[in-house]
Coordinates of all heavy atoms in Angstrom, one line a residue:
E9 N 0.2 -3.9 -25.4 CA 0.9 -4.7 -26.4 C 0.5 -4.2 -27.8 O -0.6 -3.7 -28.0 CB 0.6 -6.1 -26.3 CG 1.2 -6.8 -25.1 CD 0.9 -8.3 -25.1 OE1 1.5 -9.0 -25.8 OE2 0.0 -8.7 -24.4
I63 N 8.4 15.2 2.8 CA 8.5 16.3 3.7 C 9.9 16.5 4.3 O 10.4 17.6 4.4 CB 7.4 16.0 4.9 CG1 6.0 16.1 4.3 CG2 7.6 17.0 6.1 CD1 5.0 15.6 5.3
P73 N 7.0 21.2 0.9 CA 6.7 19.8 0.5 C 5.8 19.7 -0.8 O 5.1 20.6 -1.1 CB 6.0 19.3 1.7 CG 6.3 20.2 2.8 CD 6.5 21.5 2.2
Y113 N 13.2 2.1 2.5 CA 14.5 1.9 1.8 C 14.4 2.2 0.3 O 15.2 2.9 -0.3 CB 15.0 0.5 2.1 CG 16.3 0.2 1.4 CD1 17.5 0.7 1.9 CD2 16.3 -0.5 0.2 CE1 18.7 0.4 1.2 CE2 17.4 -0.8 -0.5 CZ 18.6 -0.3 0.0 OH 19.8 -0.6 -0.7
K216 N 30.3 5.7 4.9 CA 31.4 6.6 5.3 C 30.9 8.0 5.5 O 31.2 8.7 6.5 CB 32.5 6.5 4.3 CG 33.7 7.5 4.6 CD 34.7 7.4 3.5 CE 35.8 8.5 3.7 NZ 36.7 8.2 4.9
F221 N 26.0 13.9 6.7 CA 24.6 14.3 6.3 C 23.6 14.4 7.4 O 22.7 15.2 7.4 CB 24.1 13.4 5.1 CG 24.7 13.7 3.8 CD1 26.0 13.4 3.5 CD2 24.0 14.4 2.8 CE1 26.6 13.6 2.3 CE2 24.5 14.7 1.6 CZ 25.8 14.3 1.3
N224 N 24.6 17.6 9.2 CA 24.2 18.8 8.5 C 23.3 18.5 7.3 O 23.8 18.3 6.2 CB 25.5 19.6 7.9 CG 25.1 21.0 7.4 OD1 24.0 21.2 7.0 ND2 26.1 21.9 7.3
M237 N 24.3 13.3 -14.4 CA 25.5 12.9 -13.8 C 26.4 12.2 -14.9 O 27.6 11.9 -14.6 CB 25.3 12.0 -12.6 CG 24.8 12.7 -11.4 SD 25.9 13.9 -10.7 CE 26.7 12.9 -9.5

Side-chain angles (χ1 to χ4, degrees):
E9 291 183 76
I63 291 168
Y113 174 80
K216 176 183 174 69
F221 281 75
N224 190 337
M237 292 293 268

